[in-house]
Amino acid sequence: MPDNIASHPLKKEITPPSCESTRGLAAPLGTAAAVTAGIAPDGGLYVPRSLPLLPWREWLDLDYSAVAARVVRLLAPDLPEAGVAAAAAVYGDGRFGPGSPAPLIEAGALGVLELWHGPTAAFKDMALQALPHLLTAAAAQVAAGREILILTATSGDTGKAALEGFRDVPGASVCVFYPDGGVSAVQEKQMLTTGGNNTFVAAVRGNFDVCQQAVKTAFTTEWLREALAERGVLFSSANSINWGRLLPQIVYYIWSYLEAVRQNRVKAGAPVNFAVPTGNFGNILAGWYARSMGLPVGRLLCASNRNNVLADFFRDGVYDVNREFFRTESPSMDILVSSNFERLLFELGGRDGEKIRRLYADLQEKSRFQVEESVLKACQAVFAGGWTDEDACRAVIRRVWREWRYLLDPHTAIAWGMAEDYRAASGDETYTIVVSTASPFKFAPAVLAALTETAPAEPWAALAELEQVTGWPAPQALRGLDTKKERREALLAPEEIAAWVSGKFAPPF
Ligand SMILES: *Cc1c(COP(=O)(O)O)cnc(C)c1O
C-alpha cells in the first residue's frame, strides 16, 4: 500500500479502537480513556486513529436510537455496551418530543434538519443528553470509584445543555463558565435556573475565547489536577474538545441522509451538501467524519457570522484571529478560535502532530498561522466557507418566513443565507440540508425584530409576541422561565477559575 493511503484516516478494516492526540506527544488511548480524559495532556485533542466504513444502506429501516447505537459501537467498540445502549436510548424516551428527535423538513428548495427538539431547545442536546451515559460508563471502566468533575466553557447553549445532561447524574458534577454579558438573556436564565445539587454556574470576565482558554488552562493546571485527584475527583470536559461529544453528533448526519433517501429527496448513494452554522467547528466536523466514513456527502458549507475567521481561512489558508471581535445576534457563533478546527487540520495535514504543534505555537505567539498549499487544497476540496452579516441574516429570517412560513433562528438563518449564496455562486445544485441548531424562540428578540422590522423587544415579551405573530408555539423548555429563581455562583476573572474550582471541590481540610 502506498504511504499516502496507509496514512489516510479511512481504512477499510475496522481496526482496534484507539485514539491519538492531535499534538502527537500524548500516548494513544482507547476510546473510554480518551472520553474520560477530555483533552489530551499535551494540549491536543483526541481523534480516532482509523475510521470504519459505514454500512448505512443496511440502516434505512432503523429508528434513530438504533442508528445511534450502531454508529457509536462501530466507532468506539471498546466503550461499555451498557453505556452505549443507555446513550442511544435517550433519543427514544420522549425527551426529544413525541416525533422524530431530528426531523428533516422541506422549506423551499432546501432541507432543514431540526436539531432543537431536546430539553434546552438547541442542538447541543443531541450530544449532551447522551454524553453523560457514555462518560460515566467510560469512567467506570478506566477510573472506577472516581467522581467526575465536568468543566465547561460556553457561549450560551452548551452550558445549559451540559447542566441538563449531567444534573443529578450519580458520580458526576458539572461547572459551567460563561462570558459575562456574552450570552442571551434567555440562555443566562436557562443556565441559572437548572437546579440539581451537582450543577454550578459562574460568569467570567471577557469574551468566549477568553473564557474557553481559561477553562482549557484550568484543565492542564497540574496542582489543581493533583488536589482533585487526592480527593478522588477526576476532570473531564463536556465541550466539543471531548471526542465523546462528537460521537453522537456524527449520528444525525447519517440519520438525515437516511431520511433524505426515505423522503425521496435523493437516490441512495447520491451526494447531499450540508450547510452548518459554525462556531467551535464541532458540528461541521462531525459531518466531515460521517463523510470520511463513506456517507455520500458532497460539500460541507461552513457558515460564519461577522466573526468570519473560518471563511477567510477557506479562501486563503491563513487563520488570523488578529481582528475585532463582534457580539452578534448569533452569539453561539461569536468565536474566533474554533477549537475543533485543530482536528481537521490534523486529519487533512498528514496526521502530523509536530506540524499541529507548530501551527498552534504560531497562533499563540502571532495570533495567526498559515497552512501549506496542499492542506488548503485538501480543505477546499470538501469545505466552502462563507459569512453573513446582521442585516442579511435578518433579511433571510424575514424572507423565509414570508415565502415559506418557516421560522429560522439567527444561527440557522446564517447557514441558510450561505447555502443560497453558495448555490448561486457555484452552480452546485446538489440537494442541500441546512443544519438548524436552535429553536427560533431561543432568540426571540432578534427573530421578532427581523419579522416586524422593529427594534428588539425585551426577551420575555418578545417570546410571547413571536408566538402571536407566527402562530408557532414556543418550546415547553422556554415557557415560564422568567419567573424561575436564579442561582449564580460567582463572577470570576479568567485567572481565578482554578482557585475557585479547587475551593469548591478540593477544599483544604
Ligand atoms: C453551538 C452552536 C453553534 C455552533 O456549533 P459548533 O459546533 O460550535 O460549531 C451554532 N448554533 C447554535 C444555536 C449553537 O448552540
Side-chain angles (χ1 to χ4, degrees):
M1 214 189 265
D3 277 359
N4 62 333
I5 291 180
S7 67
H8 192 276
L10 179 59
K11 288 184 190 159
K12 289 219 163 19
E13 73 280 10
I14 298 168
T15 49
S18 204
C19 293
E20 65 188 304
S21 165
T22 50
R23 307 244 172 138
L25 296 177
L29 295 176
T31 314
V35 168
T36 304
I39 197 168
D42 58 4
L45 306 180
Y46 287 111
V47 290
R49 303 186 85 182
S50 65
L51 295 173
L53 270 183
L54 289 171
W56 59 266
R57 287 173 194 273
E58 296 163 23
W59 295 350
L60 280 159
D61 295 330
L62 300 184
D63 68 12
Y64 196 101
S65 291
V67 174
R70 278 165 180 75
V71 173
V72 175
R73 271 192 217 114
L74 262 182
L75 265 165
D78 61 323
L79 283 180
E81 175 55 34
V84 175
V90 304
Y91 304 104
D93 68 3
R95 71 183 81 187
F96 287 91
S100 163
L104 178 64
I105 308 288
E106 214 50 25
L110 296 168
V112 181
L113 177 65
E114 293 182 347
L115 298 179
W116 38 263
H117 293 278
T120 79
F123 95 99
K124 306 290 196 293
D125 289 329
M126 297 304 290
L128 283 165
Q129 287 295 312
L131 181 64
H133 297 287
L134 298 176
L135 185 54
T136 50
Q141 188 177 62
V142 297
R146 302 281 210 94
E147 293 269 315
I148 296 179
L149 173 57
I150 304 291
L151 296 188
T152 287
T154 185
S155 58
D157 291 330
T158 300
K160 176 58 178 177
L163 292 164
E164 267 315 305
F166 283 94
R167 176 163 51 97
D168 296 331
V169 169
S173 299
V174 54
C175 288
V176 167
F177 302 92
Y178 67 94
D180 190 37
V183 300
S184 81
V186 172
Q187 289 173 322
E188 185 169 38
K189 190 77 181 186
Q190 277 189 305
M191 288 193 276
L192 299 182
T193 56
T194 303
N197 49 27
N198 64 340
T199 67
F200 305 88
V201 185
V204 176
R205 288 186 224 280
N207 65 26
F208 175 71
D209 290 305
V210 169
C211 186
Q212 170 155 274
Q213 188 52 47
V215 171
K216 263 193 177 176
T217 303
F219 263 111
T220 45
T221 300
E222 209 44 51
W223 67 261
L224 179 58
R225 243 174 214 285
E226 281 166 16
L228 290 170
E230 265 176 43
R231 282 160 184 78
V233 179
L234 200 73
F235 265 151
S236 193
S237 167
N239 277 103
S240 51
I241 58 173
N242 192 325
W243 175 239
R245 245 305 271 289
L246 293 185
L247 287 172
Q249 292 185 180
I250 295 170
V251 177
Y252 53 74
Y253 284 92
I254 300 160
W255 170 257
S256 61
Y257 186 81
L258 298 173
E259 269 296 296
V261 172
R262 288 190 286 249
Q263 294 179 12
N264 285 320
R265 312 281 175 208
V266 293
K267 286 210 166 35
V272 304
N273 291 344
F274 287 94
V276 187
T278 295
N280 236 343
F281 209 75
N283 191 353
I284 196 167
L285 184 73
W288 182 86
Y289 277 109
R291 186 183 190 275
S292 301
M293 291 188 286
L295 192 72
V297 176
R299 281 291 173 111
L300 291 165
L301 311 181
C302 176
S304 302
N305 62 22
R306 283 178 83 195
N307 297 296
N308 53 4
V309 179
L310 288 165
D312 287 351
F313 175 87
F314 285 121
R315 199 189 52 231
D316 57 22
V318 177
Y319 195 93
D320 189 348
V321 301
N322 236 321
R323 63 177 75 203
E324 192 179 345
F325 173 86
F326 299 104
R327 287 193 197 283
T328 72
E329 288 178 342
S330 43
S332 300
M333 299 160 71
D334 291 347
I335 292 174
L336 299 179
V337 183
S338 302
S339 45
N340 277 287
F341 199 58
E342 176 169 343
R343 285 190 164 110
L344 183 74
L345 292 174
F346 178 77
E347 298 282 9
L348 295 180
R351 301 177 67 77
D352 177 352
E354 199 201 324
K355 196 187 279 182
I356 297 297
R357 292 202 301 279
R358 242 184 292 124
L359 292 178
Y360 282 82
D362 279 353
L363 190 64
Q364 188 103 49
E365 285 156 27
K366 301 175 216 148
S367 300
R368 79 195 285 278
F369 62 70
Q370 176 161 19
V371 300
E372 305 143 62
E373 192 61 22
S374 61
V375 177
L376 175 60
K377 285 264 151 34
C379 291
Q380 288 171 334
V382 183
F383 293 87
W387 66 283
T388 304
D389 70 15
E390 302 285 90
D391 288 343
C393 172
R394 286 183 180 202
V396 166
I397 294 172
R398 188 160 59 239
R399 181 161 49 78
V400 172
W401 175 251
R402 291 197 181 147
E403 279 181 28
W404 309 107
R405 283 290 179 262
Y406 187 79
L407 198 57
L408 299 167
D409 94 285
H411 303 78
T412 310
I414 282 171
W416 181 293
M418 186 192 161
E420 288 184 335
D421 291 349
Y422 167 79
R423 180 169 286 188
S426 67
D428 179 353
E429 293 288 324
T430 306
Y431 178 70
T432 298
I433 295 175
V434 175
V435 177
S436 176
T437 49
S439 159
F441 288 93
K442 197 155 188 186
F443 302 94
V447 173
L448 183 68
L451 294 188
T452 57
E453 301 186 60
T454 53
E458 181 275 320
W460 309 108
L463 195 83
E465 202 183 331
L466 191 59
E467 284 189 307
Q468 244 172 12
V469 168
T470 61
W472 281 32
Q476 198 54 41
L478 302 177
R479 291 161 182 267
L481 258 185
D482 49 334
T483 54
K484 273 199 185 167
K485 226 169 111 63
E486 298 191 359
R487 194 183 77 192
R488 174 152 116 173
E489 307 285 330
L491 172 59
L492 304 171
E495 62 279 8
E496 290 170 342
I497 287 181
W500 184 78
V501 170
S502 156
K504 272 212 157 359
F505 294 92
F509 291 125

